[in-house]
Amino acid sequence: MNEVAAIKVFRFDPDKDKEPYFDSFNVRVRKGLTVLEALFDILENQDGSLGLRYSCRGAVCGSCAMHINGYYRLACQTQIENLKGNEVIIRPLGHLPVIKDLVVDMRPFFEKYESIMPYLITQNGHSETGEQFQSQKARAKIDEMIDCILCGCCHASCTMTLTDKDYLGPATLLKANRFYIDSRDKGGIERLKLVDGEHGVWRCHTIFNCNEVCPKYINPTRSIARLKRGLIKNKILGRI
């Protein structure tokens, strides 16, 4: 393979630009070339001012999540030869403020994540410091949710995070369920209260966009449904 790919990259610097625009670049494609490597080529050889975020380059950290040819993906996991069309169009994650080009401000995303107390809670309401044992069967129940790398793809694809800035979002609710069903956690009712209300699980419209874009093939909608069932059950029993 010795082709040249046309790469269109979203550009916007709030300190200098009035409106976003696209820059076009040509990158020589070799077999296995990822979108992230193509962006490295642009950064190193064509435009050193391009802003992007990355870290592990191995689909573990989630830092390079972005919108590529109409779909939220990890740039380090996406090979250009597998993309359809005559050009590669790259945009930043949606529904988050743009800092520069492909870099977005993730603080609103992580503030929501922190709001659901993403740690184990003991009987007296404090984080556990000692070793806690868990059976393999109980651990298997949270395997899928532990695989979430908090890349933000599901958050960016969700129509509700666009229309309701206070909505917790699929990633946060997935993590809330991860602790809710953890056999070692004692904060069940308290956790359910945190995700109740119009900005919590009831805002989800079950569109499944989050499922479609997850690079780890996780099902956030299933976790949200589990939390809804937990709320209904405990409200019927008078615990909430």
Side-chain angles (χ1 to χ4, degrees):
M1 179 180 293
N2 194 26
E3 302 176 354
V4 173
I7 313 286
K8 289 183 65 175
V9 184
F10 176 97
R11 306 300 299 271
F12 182 58
D13 185 342
D15 294 332
K16 299 189 299 184
D17 302 324
K18 292 183 178 180
E19 295 182 356
Y21 62 96
F22 281 89
D23 256 353
S24 296
F25 304 93
N26 291 322
V27 174
R28 191 167 297 282
V29 180
R30 55 173 171 75
K31 186 172 181 59
L33 183 77
T34 66
V35 171
L36 183 61
E37 289 172 319
L39 290 171
F40 287 160
D41 183 281
I42 294 170
L43 182 66
E44 295 170 2
N45 302 313
Q46 301 183 56
D47 188 342
S49 69
L50 176 65
L52 69 149
R53 179 183 285 135
Y54 67 94
S55 184
C56 74
R57 311 187 196 189
V60 175
C61 71
S63 299
C64 66
M66 54 189 71
H67 190 269
I68 304 168
N69 279 24
Y71 201 81
Y72 287 104
R73 323 169 193 248
L74 299 181
C76 69
Q77 194 180 45
T78 305
Q79 296 186 15
I80 288 182
E81 63 182 314
N82 294 333
L83 296 174
K84 297 179 180 179
N86 298 323
E87 59 185 2
V88 180
I89 303 175
I90 307 173
R91 298 178 174 90
L93 287 178
H95 314 168
L96 292 165
V98 175
I99 295 176
K100 185 175 186 289
D101 301 335
L102 301 175
V103 181
V104 297
D105 187 350
M106 296 292 289
R107 283 179 296 181
F109 175 82
F110 283 108
E111 285 169 0
K112 292 174 181 178
Y113 171 63
E114 292 170 1
S115 74
I116 53 98
M117 299 187 299
Y119 46 81
L120 294 177
I121 296 175
T122 61
Q123 194 66 49
N124 60 8
H126 298 290
S127 177
E128 182 62 76
T129 56
E131 184 177 6
Q132 299 178 74
F133 295 99
Q134 186 176 55
S135 69
Q136 291 183 357
K137 183 177 180 180
R139 173 60 166 75
K141 293 180 179 180
I142 60 176
D143 279 351
E144 179 187 48
M145 291 155 285
I146 286 178
D147 286 343
C148 171
I149 58 176
L150 296 171
C151 63
C153 283
C154 62
H155 182 93
S157 71
C158 177
T159 57
M160 293 301 103
T161 59
L162 171 64
T163 56
D164 180 1
K165 67 180 180 62
D166 295 319
Y167 174 48
L168 291 175
T172 293
L173 293 173
L174 171 90
K175 290 296 188 179
N177 184 53
R178 173 255 180 274
F179 289 99
Y180 173 62
I181 67 174
D182 193 311
S183 62
R184 300 163 296 179
D185 192 71
K186 302 299 188 296
I189 297 300
E190 187 176 2
R191 292 192 186 284
L192 288 176
K193 290 179 179 179
L194 290 173
V195 302
D196 196 7
E198 63 176 320
H199 304 302
V201 293
W202 309 112
R203 180 60 65 188
C204 173
H205 287 195
T206 320
I207 299 174
F208 298 105
N209 283 358
C210 51
N211 294 8
E212 291 292 325
V213 302
C214 179
K216 296 300 180 180
Y217 309 105
I218 300 170
N219 188 335
T221 308
R222 180 162 53 212
S223 283
I224 295 172
R226 175 65 181 268
L227 293 170
K228 288 179 178 179
R229 291 196 300 271
L231 278 163
I232 293 171
K233 176 182 177 180
N234 284 283
K235 286 182 179 182
I236 291 174
L237 294 174
R239 297 170 181 166
I240 298 178

